[in-house]
Short mmCIF file of all heavy atoms in Angstrom, two decimals:
data_model
loop_
_atom_site.label_atom_id
_atom_site.label_comp_id
_atom_site.label_asym_id
_atom_site.label_seq_id
_atom_site.Cartn_x
_atom_site.Cartn_y
_atom_site.Cartn_z
N CYS A 1010 -13.77 -2.98 -23.29
CA CYS A 1010 -14.93 -3.86 -23.51
C CYS A 1010 -14.54 -5.28 -23.91
O CYS A 1010 -15.38 -6.06 -24.40
CB CYS A 1010 -15.82 -3.25 -24.58
SG CYS A 1010 -16.73 -1.79 -23.98
N SER A 1011 -13.27 -5.62 -23.70
CA SER A 1011 -12.85 -6.94 -24.10
C SER A 1011 -13.57 -8.01 -23.24
O SER A 1011 -13.74 -7.80 -22.09
CB SER A 1011 -11.31 -7.04 -23.92
OG SER A 1011 -10.85 -8.39 -24.14
N SER A 1012 -13.86 -9.15 -23.93
CA SER A 1012 -14.40 -10.25 -23.16
C SER A 1012 -13.30 -11.21 -22.63
O SER A 1012 -13.63 -12.21 -21.95
CB SER A 1012 -15.40 -10.98 -24.04
OG SER A 1012 -14.70 -11.61 -25.22
N GLN A 1013 -12.03 -10.93 -23.03
CA GLN A 1013 -10.96 -11.78 -22.61
C GLN A 1013 -10.73 -11.60 -21.08
O GLN A 1013 -10.87 -10.53 -20.51
CB GLN A 1013 -9.69 -11.44 -23.34
CG GLN A 1013 -9.73 -11.76 -24.80
CD GLN A 1013 -8.48 -11.25 -25.53
OE1 GLN A 1013 -8.35 -10.08 -25.85
NE2 GLN A 1013 -7.58 -12.20 -25.80
N THR A 1014 -10.39 -12.73 -20.46
CA THR A 1014 -10.05 -12.69 -18.98
C THR A 1014 -8.66 -13.24 -18.71
O THR A 1014 -8.07 -12.95 -17.62
CB THR A 1014 -11.07 -13.50 -18.17
OG1 THR A 1014 -11.08 -14.86 -18.73
CG2 THR A 1014 -12.44 -12.90 -18.31
N GLU A 1015 -8.15 -13.97 -19.68
CA GLU A 1015 -6.82 -14.54 -19.45
C GLU A 1015 -5.82 -13.94 -20.51
O GLU A 1015 -5.93 -14.24 -21.69
CB GLU A 1015 -6.82 -16.08 -19.60
CG GLU A 1015 -7.69 -16.79 -18.57
CD GLU A 1015 -7.12 -16.67 -17.18
OE1 GLU A 1015 -5.86 -16.54 -17.11
OE2 GLU A 1015 -7.87 -16.67 -16.21
N PRO A 1016 -4.90 -13.15 -20.00
CA PRO A 1016 -3.98 -12.56 -21.00
C PRO A 1016 -2.85 -13.63 -21.44
O PRO A 1016 -2.66 -14.60 -20.68
CB PRO A 1016 -3.31 -11.43 -20.22
CG PRO A 1016 -3.34 -11.92 -18.77
CD PRO A 1016 -4.62 -12.72 -18.61
N SER A 1017 -2.27 -13.31 -22.57
CA SER A 1017 -1.15 -14.21 -22.94
C SER A 1017 0.11 -13.94 -22.01
O SER A 1017 0.21 -12.96 -21.38
CB SER A 1017 -0.75 -13.92 -24.35
OG SER A 1017 -0.16 -12.65 -24.45
N ALA A 1018 0.96 -14.97 -22.03
CA ALA A 1018 2.18 -14.83 -21.22
C ALA A 1018 2.97 -13.65 -21.71
O ALA A 1018 3.60 -12.96 -20.94
CB ALA A 1018 2.98 -16.09 -21.35
N GLN A 1019 2.86 -13.38 -23.00
CA GLN A 1019 3.60 -12.22 -23.61
C GLN A 1019 3.06 -10.87 -23.01
O GLN A 1019 3.89 -9.97 -22.71
CB GLN A 1019 3.43 -12.21 -25.10
CG GLN A 1019 4.27 -11.09 -25.86
CD GLN A 1019 4.06 -11.20 -27.36
OE1 GLN A 1019 3.36 -12.05 -27.87
NE2 GLN A 1019 4.67 -10.28 -28.09
N THR A 1020 1.76 -10.78 -22.91
CA THR A 1020 1.16 -9.51 -22.33
C THR A 1020 1.59 -9.34 -20.92
O THR A 1020 2.00 -8.21 -20.48
CB THR A 1020 -0.32 -9.57 -22.48
OG1 THR A 1020 -0.68 -9.57 -23.84
CG2 THR A 1020 -0.98 -8.33 -21.75
N VAL A 1021 1.51 -10.40 -20.07
CA VAL A 1021 1.89 -10.28 -18.72
C VAL A 1021 3.38 -9.97 -18.55
O VAL A 1021 3.72 -9.10 -17.67
CB VAL A 1021 1.56 -11.64 -17.94
CG1 VAL A 1021 2.07 -11.56 -16.51
CG2 VAL A 1021 0.11 -11.87 -17.98
N ALA A 1022 4.24 -10.59 -19.36
CA ALA A 1022 5.66 -10.30 -19.29
C ALA A 1022 5.94 -8.83 -19.65
O ALA A 1022 6.83 -8.19 -19.08
CB ALA A 1022 6.41 -11.21 -20.26
N PHE A 1023 5.21 -8.33 -20.67
CA PHE A 1023 5.37 -6.96 -21.06
C PHE A 1023 5.04 -6.01 -19.94
O PHE A 1023 5.83 -5.03 -19.63
CB PHE A 1023 4.49 -6.61 -22.32
CG PHE A 1023 4.48 -5.14 -22.63
CD1 PHE A 1023 5.44 -4.61 -23.45
CD2 PHE A 1023 3.55 -4.28 -22.16
CE1 PHE A 1023 5.52 -3.26 -23.78
CE2 PHE A 1023 3.51 -2.96 -22.47
CZ PHE A 1023 4.52 -2.42 -23.26
N LEU A 1024 3.94 -6.24 -19.27
CA LEU A 1024 3.50 -5.36 -18.16
C LEU A 1024 4.47 -5.46 -17.00
O LEU A 1024 4.77 -4.45 -16.37
CB LEU A 1024 2.10 -5.67 -17.74
CG LEU A 1024 1.02 -5.40 -18.80
CD1 LEU A 1024 -0.36 -5.96 -18.28
CD2 LEU A 1024 0.88 -3.95 -19.06
N ILE A 1025 4.97 -6.64 -16.69
CA ILE A 1025 5.97 -6.80 -15.65
C ILE A 1025 7.21 -5.97 -15.95
O ILE A 1025 7.74 -5.26 -15.10
CB ILE A 1025 6.30 -8.27 -15.46
CG1 ILE A 1025 5.10 -9.05 -14.82
CG2 ILE A 1025 7.56 -8.46 -14.62
CD1 ILE A 1025 5.32 -10.55 -14.78
N ASP A 1026 7.73 -6.12 -17.18
CA ASP A 1026 8.89 -5.35 -17.60
C ASP A 1026 8.66 -3.92 -17.57
O ASP A 1026 9.56 -3.11 -17.18
CB ASP A 1026 9.31 -5.82 -19.00
CG ASP A 1026 9.90 -7.26 -19.05
OD1 ASP A 1026 10.23 -7.76 -17.99
OD2 ASP A 1026 9.93 -7.84 -20.16
N LYS A 1027 7.44 -3.49 -17.95
CA LYS A 1027 7.14 -2.03 -18.01
C LYS A 1027 7.15 -1.45 -16.57
O LYS A 1027 7.67 -0.40 -16.31
CB LYS A 1027 5.79 -1.78 -18.60
CG LYS A 1027 5.56 -0.42 -19.18
CD LYS A 1027 6.47 -0.19 -20.36
CE LYS A 1027 6.25 1.09 -21.02
NZ LYS A 1027 7.35 1.46 -21.98
N VAL A 1028 6.55 -2.18 -15.63
CA VAL A 1028 6.53 -1.72 -14.23
C VAL A 1028 7.97 -1.60 -13.72
O VAL A 1028 8.31 -0.61 -13.01
CB VAL A 1028 5.76 -2.74 -13.36
CG1 VAL A 1028 5.96 -2.37 -11.85
CG2 VAL A 1028 4.28 -2.66 -13.68
N LYS A 1029 8.83 -2.60 -14.04
CA LYS A 1029 10.21 -2.51 -13.54
C LYS A 1029 11.04 -1.41 -14.21
O LYS A 1029 11.68 -0.62 -13.55
CB LYS A 1029 10.84 -3.91 -13.83
CG LYS A 1029 10.34 -5.08 -12.95
CD LYS A 1029 11.07 -6.35 -13.35
CE LYS A 1029 10.63 -7.50 -12.51
NZ LYS A 1029 11.23 -8.75 -12.92
N GLU A 1030 10.88 -1.32 -15.53
CA GLU A 1030 11.69 -0.33 -16.27
C GLU A 1030 11.37 1.08 -15.94
O GLU A 1030 12.21 1.94 -15.79
CB GLU A 1030 11.48 -0.55 -17.78
CG GLU A 1030 12.13 -1.88 -18.29
CD GLU A 1030 11.69 -2.17 -19.70
OE1 GLU A 1030 10.97 -1.32 -20.36
OE2 GLU A 1030 12.04 -3.30 -20.23
N ASP A 1031 10.03 1.37 -15.80
CA ASP A 1031 9.60 2.69 -15.58
C ASP A 1031 9.45 2.98 -14.05
O ASP A 1031 9.02 4.09 -13.72
CB ASP A 1031 8.24 2.97 -16.33
CG ASP A 1031 8.40 2.83 -17.77
OD1 ASP A 1031 9.57 2.77 -18.26
OD2 ASP A 1031 7.38 2.81 -18.47
N GLN A 1032 9.76 2.05 -13.17
CA GLN A 1032 9.64 2.20 -11.81
C GLN A 1032 8.28 2.74 -11.31
O GLN A 1032 8.16 3.62 -10.58
CB GLN A 1032 10.79 3.09 -11.26
CG GLN A 1032 12.13 2.55 -11.58
CD GLN A 1032 13.29 3.43 -11.00
OE1 GLN A 1032 13.12 4.60 -10.76
NE2 GLN A 1032 14.42 2.80 -10.77
N VAL A 1033 7.28 2.10 -11.88
CA VAL A 1033 5.89 2.48 -11.60
C VAL A 1033 5.55 2.11 -10.16
O VAL A 1033 5.80 0.99 -9.72
CB VAL A 1033 4.91 1.76 -12.60
CG1 VAL A 1033 3.50 2.03 -12.19
CG2 VAL A 1033 5.17 2.26 -14.00
N PRO A 1034 5.03 3.02 -9.37
CA PRO A 1034 4.84 2.76 -7.94
C PRO A 1034 3.53 2.09 -7.52
O PRO A 1034 3.38 1.63 -6.37
CB PRO A 1034 4.84 4.15 -7.34
CG PRO A 1034 4.29 5.01 -8.42
CD PRO A 1034 4.77 4.44 -9.73
N LEU A 1035 2.62 1.85 -8.53
CA LEU A 1035 1.32 1.32 -8.18
C LEU A 1035 0.78 0.63 -9.39
O LEU A 1035 0.73 1.15 -10.52
CB LEU A 1035 0.36 2.38 -7.68
CG LEU A 1035 -0.75 1.99 -6.78
CD1 LEU A 1035 -0.27 1.35 -5.46
CD2 LEU A 1035 -1.62 3.22 -6.39
N ILE A 1036 0.29 -0.60 -9.22
CA ILE A 1036 -0.46 -1.39 -10.31
C ILE A 1036 -1.96 -1.27 -10.02
O ILE A 1036 -2.38 -1.60 -8.92
CB ILE A 1036 -0.04 -2.80 -10.28
CG1 ILE A 1036 1.55 -2.91 -10.49
CG2 ILE A 1036 -0.75 -3.58 -11.38
CD1 ILE A 1036 2.12 -4.21 -10.10
N LEU A 1037 -2.67 -0.87 -11.03
CA LEU A 1037 -4.11 -0.52 -10.82
C LEU A 1037 -5.03 -1.64 -11.34
O LEU A 1037 -4.63 -2.36 -12.29
CB LEU A 1037 -4.42 0.83 -11.46
CG LEU A 1037 -3.56 1.98 -10.98
CD1 LEU A 1037 -3.93 3.23 -11.79
CD2 LEU A 1037 -3.78 2.26 -9.49
N TYR A 1038 -6.19 -1.70 -10.86
CA TYR A 1038 -7.24 -2.60 -11.35
C TYR A 1038 -8.57 -1.95 -11.09
O TYR A 1038 -8.74 -1.15 -10.20
CB TYR A 1038 -7.11 -3.99 -10.68
CG TYR A 1038 -7.27 -4.01 -9.20
CD1 TYR A 1038 -8.58 -4.08 -8.57
CD2 TYR A 1038 -6.20 -3.96 -8.37
CE1 TYR A 1038 -8.76 -4.04 -7.30
CE2 TYR A 1038 -6.38 -3.88 -6.95
CZ TYR A 1038 -7.63 -4.01 -6.42
OH TYR A 1038 -7.82 -4.03 -5.07
N PRO A 1039 -9.61 -2.32 -11.92
CA PRO A 1039 -10.90 -1.64 -11.79
C PRO A 1039 -11.80 -2.29 -10.66
O PRO A 1039 -11.49 -3.39 -10.17
CB PRO A 1039 -11.52 -1.84 -13.15
CG PRO A 1039 -10.96 -3.12 -13.61
CD PRO A 1039 -9.57 -3.18 -13.04
N GLU A 1040 -12.89 -1.67 -10.32
CA GLU A 1040 -13.82 -2.19 -9.38
C GLU A 1040 -14.38 -3.46 -9.86
O GLU A 1040 -14.44 -3.75 -11.06
CB GLU A 1040 -14.92 -1.17 -9.11
CG GLU A 1040 -15.92 -0.90 -10.23
CD GLU A 1040 -15.47 0.19 -11.14
OE1 GLU A 1040 -14.25 0.48 -11.20
OE2 GLU A 1040 -16.40 0.73 -11.87
N LEU A 1041 -14.78 -4.34 -8.88
CA LEU A 1041 -15.41 -5.62 -9.17
C LEU A 1041 -14.51 -6.58 -9.94
O LEU A 1041 -14.97 -7.52 -10.56
CB LEU A 1041 -16.78 -5.48 -9.87
CG LEU A 1041 -17.76 -4.54 -9.22
CD1 LEU A 1041 -19.02 -4.39 -10.06
CD2 LEU A 1041 -18.08 -4.97 -7.83
N SER A 1042 -13.23 -6.31 -9.90
CA SER A 1042 -12.26 -7.21 -10.57
C SER A 1042 -11.74 -8.30 -9.61
O SER A 1042 -11.66 -7.99 -8.40
CB SER A 1042 -11.07 -6.35 -11.09
OG SER A 1042 -9.96 -7.16 -11.47
N THR A 1043 -11.34 -9.41 -10.14
CA THR A 1043 -10.72 -10.37 -9.32
C THR A 1043 -9.27 -10.03 -9.08
O THR A 1043 -8.61 -10.58 -8.20
CB THR A 1043 -10.71 -11.81 -9.98
OG1 THR A 1043 -10.03 -11.68 -11.24
CG2 THR A 1043 -12.16 -12.24 -10.27
N HIS A 1044 -8.78 -9.02 -9.78
CA HIS A 1044 -7.42 -8.53 -9.87
C HIS A 1044 -6.30 -9.57 -9.78
O HIS A 1044 -5.27 -9.40 -9.12
CB HIS A 1044 -7.16 -7.45 -8.69
CG HIS A 1044 -7.66 -7.87 -7.37
ND1 HIS A 1044 -6.85 -8.57 -6.47
CD2 HIS A 1044 -8.79 -7.55 -6.70
CE1 HIS A 1044 -7.52 -8.67 -5.32
NE2 HIS A 1044 -8.69 -8.12 -5.38
N THR A 1045 -6.56 -10.71 -10.37
CA THR A 1045 -5.54 -11.81 -10.44
C THR A 1045 -4.36 -11.40 -11.34
O THR A 1045 -3.17 -11.76 -11.03
CB THR A 1045 -6.17 -13.09 -11.01
OG1 THR A 1045 -6.80 -12.81 -12.26
CG2 THR A 1045 -7.21 -13.62 -10.04
N ILE A 1046 -4.63 -10.66 -12.40
CA ILE A 1046 -3.47 -10.23 -13.27
C ILE A 1046 -2.64 -9.21 -12.61
O ILE A 1046 -1.39 -9.29 -12.56
CB ILE A 1046 -4.05 -9.62 -14.60
CG1 ILE A 1046 -4.96 -10.67 -15.33
CG2 ILE A 1046 -2.86 -9.26 -15.46
CD1 ILE A 1046 -5.69 -10.04 -16.49
N ALA A 1047 -3.31 -8.24 -11.89
CA ALA A 1047 -2.55 -7.24 -11.16
C ALA A 1047 -1.80 -7.86 -10.06
O ALA A 1047 -0.61 -7.48 -9.76
CB ALA A 1047 -3.50 -6.17 -10.53
N ASP A 1048 -2.36 -8.89 -9.38
CA ASP A 1048 -1.65 -9.55 -8.28
C ASP A 1048 -0.41 -10.33 -8.81
O ASP A 1048 0.63 -10.37 -8.17
CB ASP A 1048 -2.61 -10.55 -7.57
CG ASP A 1048 -3.67 -9.86 -6.78
OD1 ASP A 1048 -3.50 -8.63 -6.47
OD2 ASP A 1048 -4.61 -10.51 -6.36
N ALA A 1049 -0.60 -10.93 -9.99
CA ALA A 1049 0.53 -11.63 -10.58
C ALA A 1049 1.67 -10.76 -10.91
O ALA A 1049 2.88 -11.04 -10.65
CB ALA A 1049 0.11 -12.44 -11.84
N ILE A 1050 1.36 -9.57 -11.45
CA ILE A 1050 2.41 -8.56 -11.74
C ILE A 1050 3.04 -8.03 -10.46
O ILE A 1050 4.28 -7.93 -10.40
CB ILE A 1050 1.83 -7.36 -12.56
CG1 ILE A 1050 1.22 -7.88 -13.94
CG2 ILE A 1050 2.86 -6.29 -12.78
CD1 ILE A 1050 0.44 -6.82 -14.62
N SER A 1051 2.24 -7.85 -9.46
CA SER A 1051 2.71 -7.41 -8.18
C SER A 1051 3.69 -8.43 -7.54
O SER A 1051 4.75 -8.06 -6.97
CB SER A 1051 1.56 -7.15 -7.25
OG SER A 1051 1.98 -6.82 -5.94
N GLU A 1052 3.36 -9.69 -7.70
CA GLU A 1052 4.15 -10.77 -7.15
C GLU A 1052 5.57 -10.74 -7.76
O GLU A 1052 6.60 -11.07 -7.12
CB GLU A 1052 3.45 -12.06 -7.35
CG GLU A 1052 4.07 -13.16 -6.55
CD GLU A 1052 3.20 -14.48 -6.61
OE1 GLU A 1052 2.01 -14.34 -6.46
OE2 GLU A 1052 3.80 -15.55 -6.77
#
């Protein structure tokens, strides 16, 4: 229920590292999302 839309650089960096370290095969996002954060992590 957060009203935030722009995560901190620290949060994005954490998620990027987590995807790499745990070799996660898919980054998820909810319906009706702009999925810009997920796209940035994917990139």
Side-chain angles (χ1 to χ4, degrees):
C1010 289
S1011 173
S1012 62
Q1013 293 176 282
T1014 56
E1015 296 294 332
S1017 67
Q1019 182 180 2
T1020 293
V1021 175
F1023 173 85
L1024 293 175
I1025 289 171
D1026 290 343
K1027 203 67 177 166
V1028 169
K1029 291 178 178 178
E1030 291 169 7
D1031 297 351
Q1032 299 183 336
V1033 173
L1035 207 57
I1036 301 161
L1037 305 174
Y1038 60 87
E1040 69 271 22
L1041 306 178
S1042 166
T1043 61
H1044 48 85
T1045 53
I1046 305 171
D1048 288 347
I1050 298 170
S1051 176
E1052 193 173 315

